[in-house]
Amino acid sequence: MERHRKRREVDHVRLSENAEGTGGTIRGELFGDRFERVRNALEAGASRVPRRDDGSYESGDQRVAVALDELASAAIAADADPDRATVVIHTDADR
């Protein structure tokens, strides 16, 4: 039983892009302190998501998704190699 429990309690996260290439799914499982850190960071970020223009809030899951995006954006912005996060747009010079 102990061996099975230890094997199961391994952190893992899988990213899967959807067929259209417009988004994807994040699935996984975290344990212990790692789970607590991620949950605390996402809950704190979700609590800062502003209301919509009509005064209502996004759903809780939507606010968590926004918080996850903000955490990722902050990590990229703090990266010592900003070229990894650079988007290059090419346009015609005649326009």
Side-chain angles (χ1 to χ4, degrees):
M1 182 74 166
E2 183 67 26
R3 181 177 164 205
H4 175 70
R5 199 174 116 211
K6 282 184 179 180
R7 187 180 330 156
R8 188 170 188 285
E9 291 183 0
V10 174
D11 297 330
H12 62 278
V13 175
R14 175 174 288 162
L15 306 174
S16 302
E17 189 172 353
N18 65 22
E20 297 80 22
T22 59
T25 303
I26 301 170
R27 290 188 180 159
E29 195 167 14
L30 303 173
F31 295 94
D33 292 342
R34 186 169 288 150
F35 173 76
E36 292 300 323
R37 271 191 304 278
V38 170
R39 180 174 64 181
N40 290 340
L42 292 175
E43 286 177 349
S47 72
R48 292 189 296 269
V49 174
R51 293 176 187 246
R52 296 177 179 150
D53 291 340
D54 67 3
S56 67
Y57 285 103
E58 303 285 343
S59 74
D61 289 346
Q62 289 170 326
R63 290 193 308 270
V64 170
V66 170
L68 180 59
D69 177 60
E70 289 176 354
L71 283 172
S73 294
I76 289 170
D79 195 318
D81 184 4
D83 287 338
R84 288 193 293 187
T86 300
V87 175
V88 178
I89 300 173
H90 298 275
T91 61
D92 292 333
D94 297 340
R95 292 185 179 195

